[in-house]
Amino acid sequence: MPEIPDWQRFLSEDDRTTIERGRWARRVGFGLRPAVILIDVQNYMVGEKGRHDLGAYPYSCATGWAAVEQTRRIVGAARAAAAPVVYTRFAIDRTVGDAGLFDAKIGAEAGENVYFEGTHGSEIVAAVAPEPGDLVFTKKKPSSFHGTPLLPYLIDRAIDTLIVTGGATCNCVRATVFDAFSYNYRTIVPADAVFDRLPISHAINLFDMNRCSADVTDTDAVLAYFADLAQRAA
């Protein structure tokens, strides 16, 4: 079993008994036709590499750059195996009022380093920039499936496995994972390639996804899977 965040310390003995009794968290495994999705790997989510003053990027995640590096490795392996790579951007345009209830719940101040359309913050991180042939779309809600072309894109390519990277673990990753599971995709979450602002939120949401909707693994397991696919296709 790959090394994953220590969620066990949050569980009581009764919790562990409940999981065992219900036979939760069984492994589904990888399929044969994967796609990789990078969820909101944007400047506002990770800030500047090596800069520890997160105040300049109020919504950035301290662990974001470590996950970006693992995601970069996964994307390289996916391309080598000719697997589709999909990018989402979360960007709000207040001039047309498309934030919905997001502003009511969070509501960032205007600025260049947040998630407003046309700003530096809304751009995809250059270290994992899309290449020709990748699908890139903007979403307005947490799930990458909500109001986007993702599902028909996956259906058209007969995808059976969705490898989910990016952030944040507790909202856009989780929402996408649960929708992918609902659409019967084998859903793989490499724990070191997703990130959150709060360690407890990261661990507990990975636990929940692993318990009932995804296989939580790590980047090395995903790379080994892609290497096997590439070898079989050779």
Side-chain angles (χ1 to χ4, degrees), residues 32-168:
L32 297 175
R33 296 184 63 86
V36 173
I37 181 167
L38 287 73
I39 300 178
D40 304 355
V41 185
Q42 296 164 254
N43 293 324
Y44 88 91
M45 290 285 284
V46 299
E48 294 180 29
K49 189 173 185 179
R51 181 172 179 172
H52 301 293
D53 174 19
L54 298 182
Y57 291 84
Y59 293 99
S60 62
C61 306
T63 59
W65 275 103
V68 168
E69 174 56 26
Q70 300 297 353
T71 298
R72 185 189 62 78
R73 297 172 66 207
I74 290 171
V75 168
R79 290 189 173 124
V85 179
V86 180
Y87 291 76
T88 75
R89 295 172 62 248
F90 176 74
I92 294 300
D93 185 349
R94 281 185 172 160
T95 64
V96 297
D98 60 5
L101 288 178
F102 189 84
D103 269 354
K105 192 65 179 177
I106 301 175
E109 302 264 340
E112 186 65 17
N113 295 330
V114 290
Y115 45 74
F116 297 127
E117 192 65 78
T119 65
H120 167 75
S122 70
E123 296 172 1
I124 294 171
V125 172
V128 288
E131 295 186 359
D134 296 338
L135 174 66
V136 184
F137 60 82
T138 299
K139 64 185 179 64
K140 306 294 181 177
K141 301 298 179 183
S143 174
S144 301
F145 289 93
H146 189 95
T148 76
L150 179 57
L151 182 59
Y153 178 90
L154 299 177
I155 291 172
D156 184 56
R157 287 151 183 81
I159 298 300
D160 64 4
T161 301
L162 193 60
I163 298 167
V164 180
T165 69

Side-chain angles (χ1 to χ4, degrees), residues 122-221:
S122 70
E123 296 172 1
I124 294 171
V125 172
V128 288
E131 295 186 359
D134 296 338
L135 174 66
V136 184
F137 60 82
T138 299
K139 64 185 179 64
K140 306 294 181 177
K141 301 298 179 183
S143 174
S144 301
F145 289 93
H146 189 95
T148 76
L150 179 57
L151 182 59
Y153 178 90
L154 299 177
I155 291 172
D156 184 56
R157 287 151 183 81
I159 298 300
D160 64 4
T161 301
L162 193 60
I163 298 167
V164 180
T165 69
T169 314
C170 70
N171 44 49
C172 296
V173 169
R174 179 185 176 120
T176 299
V177 164
F178 273 82
D179 278 354
F181 177 77
S182 296
Y183 287 122
N184 288 330
Y185 287 103
R186 295 171 182 263
T187 308
I188 310 297
V189 182
D192 52 351
V194 296
F195 54 91
D196 204 297
R197 299 168 183 89
L198 303 174
I200 186 173
S201 182
H202 181 67
I204 292 301
N205 279 281
L206 286 172
F207 162 74
D208 266 342
M209 288 186 281
N210 188 68
R211 180 174 61 90
C212 60
S213 59
D215 285 2
V216 174
T217 184
D218 63 12
T219 294
D220 286 344

